[in-house]
Amino acid sequence: MTLAQSIKQQILLTLQALQTAGIISSFIALDRSKDPLSKDNAPPTGYPFAIVGMPRVANDMEDTANNMRTYRFDILFVLSYESMPAPDYSVEGTIDAVLNQFDTNFTLGGTAIAAQVPPAQVTAFPVTTPSGDFACFVVTIEARTLYQLGT
């Protein structure tokens, strides 16, 4: 398994824990759609749901044998206003629950170097589509790991 695949697998395991805890209803890994909120990407079991896509990768040569890679995953969380019991509080509560879950696994199962993990970032925004109105937020996870050249 590649470094990116290992990191993404740990993100998916964290999303599974959020689903088991009842924080989200479902999640999908999506690497090819331009529109994650299209009817073709409807949540498998309702809202809220999460979508994790492809990473952005940055490189920084540490020395002649090692490359520090930063894998950035933006995870989209979609909440339906219709299914929220208290819209004024549910978005913030969901954000905190998601961040708390990622905080308990901040090295992503050891795939990221602990001293090199920046805090998760969140951007929240409303979205209106033909299928409804949603509260969305993106959690940005950056995992830095060392790649040894030639391996």
Side-chain angles (χ1 to χ4, degrees):
M1 190 175 290
T2 69
L3 293 171
Q5 290 169 329
S6 296
I7 292 166
K8 189 170 190 177
Q9 180 183 41
Q10 288 298 315
I11 290 171
L12 293 173
L13 288 171
T14 302
L15 293 175
Q16 178 66 51
L18 287 165
Q19 184 179 26
T20 300
I23 306 301
I24 60 174
S25 294
S26 58
F27 63 93
I28 56 175
L30 188 66
D31 287 341
R32 61 178 183 254
S33 177
K34 294 179 185 176
D35 183 6
L37 295 179
S38 71
K39 65 180 178 179
D40 296 332
N41 299 320
T45 57
Y47 296 95
F49 81 107
I51 300 171
V52 60
M54 298 174 283
R56 287 189 257 171
V57 183
N59 295 291
D60 186 21
M61 293 301 292
E62 291 290 300
D63 53 43
T64 58
N66 296 292
N67 185 356
M68 181 65 72
R69 289 188 183 166
T70 302
Y71 292 89
R72 176 183 166 172
F73 284 88
D74 294 317
I75 307 162
L76 175 64
F77 290 83
V78 182
L79 294 78
S80 168
Y81 284 114
E82 294 173 3
S83 64
M84 278 193 261
D88 293 345
Y89 302 106
S90 293
V91 174
E92 293 80 8
T94 303
I95 289 170
D96 283 343
V98 167
L99 290 176
N100 293 345
Q101 189 66 46
F102 276 102
D103 284 349
T104 63
N105 187 17
F106 71 97
T107 66
L108 298 171
T111 59
I113 300 169
Q116 297 287 324
V117 177
Q121 299 176 34
V122 177
T123 304
F125 49 93
V127 172
T128 299
T129 71
S131 59
D133 295 325
F134 304 98
C136 298
F137 62 93
V138 174
V139 174
T140 299
I141 303 293
E142 290 186 10
R144 293 185 182 136
T145 189
L146 199 61
Y147 172 72
Q148 294 180 337
L149 301 176
T151 59

